[in-house]
C-alpha cells in the first residue's frame, strides 16, 4: 500500500480544497495520470498519481480542505505497506483545473460563520477535520527545513500562533514557552435550542479568539455576528481558497500599513487617439489590442525608477526599508472566483507591445484558473483598473508587502480649460495609495504628477521603450 500525502504546492501554501477526483475507490490508476484537482489560495492545479495500482481509499470528498502532508489517497501498488510514505519531491502539477470546477456554495445546515476561528494549538487534537495551525509562511518554511511537524509545536504567539522561536525550541527538544497569564473570557449567552451543537463549540472558539485579540490590540472588542436566519432566508458559503487569501491579505495590509491617498487626473486624449489608431493598424499582430493598462505600466515603471520609495518594502521588525532594483508590476484581475494579481516581471526591459501581450495572456489564464503561482509572485508595485466596470475613482488597498498601489478610474470626456478655452478632453482619474511610513505626500505628488505628464504625451512614453 502507498499512502500519498498532499505535496508541497508552493511557498507559503499550507492547504488546498478538493475540487474533483479523477479516480474512484476500487478503480485503477496509472502512474502520472490525473489524480485529483486541488484549489489553493493561489490557483487550481491537477495533481498526478505518483504510482500505478488500485485505489484502496480516498481520504477526502469534494469541498474538503486538506493540509500539506495529509494522506489524501491510498494506492494498492502491490508492494508491502509503507505507512506515512511521502509523495516524491519531483511530483508536480501537470495541468490546471478548469474554471468550471468552482466550488458550489454550501447550503445552510448547521454551518457557522465563525467556523474558521483558530483553536489554541496546544490543545489536544479534536476528532474530525484538523484546522490549519496559525503560522506565517516563513514559520512553516522553517519547520520544513528543520523537519518539524508544525502541528505538534506548542504555540506561544497571540491567538495560538506558532512563532519561529516555538519551532526552534521544539526542534531542540525543549518545551513550550511559559504561557502568559490567561485573560478572563466572557462567554456568549447560551444559544437557542435549535442551534446545532457544532455552533456551540464555534461560539466557545470565538470567545477564546476574541479574548486573545482584545488582549493584544487596545480598545478592540470583537462580538459574534447575530444569527441572520432569524430575519429571513440566507445562504452560507465557506470562505475558502482564493477568497480567503484575499481576506487575509486585505486585513494584514489595512492593519499594518498606514494608508494615505493622493489623487490627480491625466489628460490621455492624445494617448487614446494614438492607441486606437495603432490597435486598428495592428489587428491580428502580437499585442495588437494595446490596452491602456500597457501604457500605464510602462509609465509607472519610469516613475518608480525616479521615485524608488514606491518600489520598496518595509521590514517593521528589523526597521529597514528594502529598495528593489527590479521592476515587476502586478495588475489586479477579476476572475469570478476572487481577485488575483498576475505579475509581469522585468517591465523595465519590455516594450509596450510585449507588455500588452503579457496582460492579455496572463489575464486569460487567471480567469481560467490555470495561471501558476510563480506568475503571481515577486511583484514590486500593483495597478488596479475599475474603469471597464464603471466608477470615477477608487481608493485601493495596498498589496502588502508592497508599499503603494495605483487605482485607475474610467476614462471620460470632460470639459476642461486649455489656453483660456473650454475644450473636451479624455480624462483618466488616478489615485495612488501609499504607505506613509515609507513615503510622504510630496513624494506621491511628484510621482503622480510625472505619471500624468507621461500619459498626456505618447512621445514621452516612446522614449521609455
Amino acid at each position: 500500500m502507498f499512502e500519498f500525502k498532499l505535496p508541497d504546492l508552493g511557498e507559503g501554501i499550507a492547504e488546498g480544497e478538493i475540487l474533483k477526483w479523477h479516480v474512484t475507490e476500487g478503480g485503477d490508476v496509472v502512474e502520472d495520470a490525473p489524480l485529483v484537482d486541488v484549489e489553493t489560495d493561489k490557483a487550481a492545479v491537477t495533481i498526478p498519481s505518483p504510482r500505478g495500482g488500485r485505489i484502496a481509499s480516498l481520504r477526502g470528498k469534494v469541498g474538503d480542505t486538506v493540509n500539506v502532508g495529509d494522506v489524501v489517497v491510498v494506492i494498492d501498488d502491490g508492494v508491502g505497506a509503507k505507512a506515512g510514505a511521502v509523495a516524491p519531491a519531483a511530483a508536480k502539477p501537470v495541468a490546471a483545473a478548469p474554471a468550471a470546477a468552482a466550488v458550489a456554495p454550501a447550503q445552510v445546515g448547521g454551518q457557522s460563520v465563525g467556523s474558521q476561528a483558530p483553536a489554541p494549538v496546544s490543545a489536544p487534537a479534536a476528532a474530525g477535520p484538523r484546522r490549519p495551525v496559525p503560522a506565517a509562511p516563513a514559520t512553516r518554511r522553517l519547520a520544513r527545513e528543520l523537519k518539524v511537524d508544525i502541528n505538534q509545536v506548542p504555540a506561544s504567539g497571540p491567538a495560538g500562533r506558532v512563532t519561529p522561536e516555538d519551532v526552534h525550541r521544539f526542534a531542540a527538544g525543549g518545551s513550550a514557552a511559559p504561557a502568559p497569564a490567561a485573560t478572563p473570557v466572557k462567554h456568549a449567552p447560551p444559544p437557542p435550542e435549535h442551534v446545532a451543537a457544532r455552533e456551540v463549540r464555534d461560539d466557545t472558539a470565538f470567545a477564546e479568539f476574541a479574548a486573545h485579540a482584545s488582549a493584544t490590540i487596545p480598545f478592540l472588542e470583537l462580538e459574534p455576528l447575530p444569527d441572520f436566519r432569524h430575519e429571513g432566508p440566507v445562504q452560507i458559503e465557506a470562505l475558502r481558497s482564493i477568497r480567503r487569501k484575499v481576506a487575509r491579505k486585505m486585513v494584514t495590509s489595512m492593519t499594518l500599513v498606514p494608508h494615505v491617498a493622493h489623487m490627480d487626473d491625466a489628460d490621455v486624449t492624445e494617448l487614446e487617439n494614438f492607441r486606437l489608431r495603432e490597435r486598428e493598424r495592428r489587428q491580428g499582430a502580437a499585442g495588437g489590442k494595446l490596452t491602456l493598462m500597457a501604457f500605464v505600466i510602462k509609465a509607472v515603471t519610469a516613475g518608480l525608477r525616479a521615485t524608488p520609495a514606491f518600489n520598496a518594502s518595509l521590514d517593521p521588525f528589523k526597521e529597514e526599508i528594502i529598495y528593489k532594483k527590479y521592476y515587476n508590476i502586478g495588475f489586479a484581475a477579476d476572475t469570478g472566483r476572487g481577485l488575483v494579481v498576475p505579475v509581469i516581471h522585468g517591465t523595465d526591459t519590455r516594450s509596450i507591445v510585449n507588455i500588452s501581450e503579457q496582460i492579455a495572456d496572463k489575464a486569460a489564464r487567471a480567469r481560467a484558473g490555470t495561471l501558476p503561482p510563480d506568475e503571481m509572485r515577486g511583484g514590486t508595485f500593483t495597478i488596479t483598473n475599475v474603469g471597464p466596470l464603471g466608477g470615477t475613482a477608487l481608493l485601493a488597498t495596498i498589496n502588502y508587502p508592497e508599499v503603494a498601489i495605483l487605482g485607475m478610474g474610467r476614462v471620460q470626456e470632460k470639459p476642461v480649460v486649455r489656453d483660456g478655452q473650454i475644450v473636451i478632453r479624455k480624462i483618466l482619474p488616478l489615485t495612488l495609495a501609499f504607505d506613509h511610513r515609507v513615503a510622504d505626500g510630496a513624494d506621491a505628488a511628484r510621482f503622480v504628477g510625472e505619471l500624468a505628464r507621461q500619459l498626456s504625451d505618447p512621445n514621452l512614453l516612446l522614449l521609455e521603450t
Side-chain angles (χ1 to χ4, degrees):
M1 295 290 182
F2 179 81
E3 292 185 337
F4 177 67
K5 296 181 178 181
L6 184 66
D8 190 340
L9 300 173
E11 182 178 347
I13 297 177
E15 63 189 19
E17 179 182 336
I18 298 175
L19 294 180
K20 177 184 178 182
W21 283 107
H22 292 276
V23 295
T24 57
E25 288 190 359
D28 294 328
V29 65
V30 298
E31 187 174 349
D32 291 331
L35 183 67
V36 61
D37 291 346
V38 175
E39 184 176 52
T40 70
D41 54 21
K42 294 189 180 291
V45 295
T46 297
I47 299 177
S49 177
R51 300 284 179 89
R54 184 181 60 83
I55 302 299
S57 67
L58 303 179
R59 299 293 179 85
K61 61 182 183 298
V62 172
D64 284 353
T65 298
V66 290
N67 297 317
V68 170
D70 285 352
V71 176
V72 292
V73 62
V74 179
I75 302 173
D76 184 356
D77 58 355
V79 183
K82 295 182 179 179
V86 181
K92 297 190 180 201
V94 294
V103 180
Q107 297 299 315
V108 177
Q111 283 191 310
S112 168
V113 293
S115 61
Q116 296 297 330
V121 179
S122 56
R130 183 179 59 192
R131 287 185 176 134
V133 174
T139 305
R140 296 182 184 280
R141 183 168 60 252
L142 174 65
R144 290 196 296 269
E145 291 171 353
L146 297 179
K147 301 188 185 307
V148 166
D149 182 357
I150 198 168
N151 298 288
Q152 304 298 322
V153 178
S156 65
R161 194 174 188 85
V162 175
T163 67
E165 291 75 17
D166 295 332
V167 174
H168 281 296
R169 189 180 300 110
F170 187 85
S175 58
T183 304
V185 177
K186 182 179 180 181
H187 292 280
E193 293 182 0
H194 70 277
V195 178
R198 176 180 175 182
E199 295 191 16
V200 177
R201 292 194 298 271
D202 287 338
D203 285 345
T204 302
F206 171 84
E208 293 171 350
F209 174 81
H212 281 295
S214 299
T216 306
I217 304 177
F219 299 109
L220 176 65
E221 183 176 350
L222 299 178
E223 296 182 356
L225 292 177
D227 189 344
F228 299 108
R229 290 172 291 185
H230 291 311
E231 305 297 330
V234 300
Q235 176 178 304
I236 297 176
E237 179 179 348
L239 187 66
R240 288 175 174 164
S241 304
I242 293 177
R243 177 51 56 191
R244 182 167 60 186
K245 180 67 172 182
V246 170
R248 289 173 174 171
K249 290 276 286 186
M250 296 302 100
V251 170
T252 299
S253 181
M254 296 303 293
T255 302
L256 294 181
V257 178
H259 284 57
V260 181
H262 180 86
M263 304 176 186
D264 206 343
D265 289 335
D267 184 342
V268 295
T269 307
E270 301 302 328
L271 176 59
E272 279 292 88
N273 292 339
F274 171 79
R275 183 179 71 84
L276 294 175
R277 284 197 309 270
E278 285 299 300
R279 185 171 71 176
E280 182 72 21
R281 186 179 70 85
R282 298 179 56 86
Q283 275 191 347
K289 192 173 181 182
L290 282 180
T291 61
L292 179 60
M293 175 69 80
F295 291 88
V296 174
I297 286 176
K298 199 63 183 178
V300 162
T301 303
L304 294 177
R305 282 203 297 265
T307 315
F310 296 123
N311 201 55
S313 287
L314 185 143
D315 188 331
F317 304 103
K318 296 182 179 179
E319 296 189 358
E320 296 175 344
I321 301 175
I322 302 99
Y323 295 98
K324 300 154 192 174
K325 302 301 183 182
Y326 54 93
Y327 304 91
N328 300 339
I329 308 301
F331 62 95
D334 180 17
T335 67
R337 297 178 299 116
L339 184 70
V340 300
V341 182
V343 175
I344 302 176
H345 295 78
T347 55
D348 55 323
T349 63
R350 296 181 185 273
S351 68
I352 292 174
V353 170
N354 180 260
I355 290 174
S356 183
E357 190 176 17
Q358 290 277 314
I359 291 171
D361 172 61
K362 291 178 184 287
R365 287 189 288 137
R367 286 190 292 269
T370 62
L371 191 69
D374 284 349
E375 297 188 48
M376 292 182 279
R377 290 200 195 106
T380 62
F381 187 96
T382 298
I383 302 173
T384 181
N385 181 16
V386 299
L389 302 176
T392 56
L394 80 157
L395 176 56
T397 301
I398 295 169
N399 188 16
Y400 184 83
E402 298 168 15
V403 297
I405 184 170
L406 181 71
M408 299 166 53
R410 181 174 67 246
V411 175
Q412 289 182 296
E413 290 188 338
K414 291 185 176 182
V416 298
V417 177
R418 293 288 184 269
D419 299 323
Q421 300 294 319
I422 297 178
V423 295
I424 303 299
R425 307 291 288 180
K426 294 177 180 178
I427 303 299
L428 169 65
L430 301 170
T431 302
L432 178 74
F434 64 96
D435 186 340
H436 211 336
R437 299 172 302 174
V438 174
D440 299 319
D443 300 315
R446 285 189 287 266
F447 178 86
V448 179
E450 178 61 20
L451 178 61
R453 190 177 75 89
Q454 294 217 19
L455 293 176
S456 69
D457 187 352
N459 294 316
L460 293 176
L461 282 175
L462 291 176
L463 294 176
E464 293 294 334
T465 303

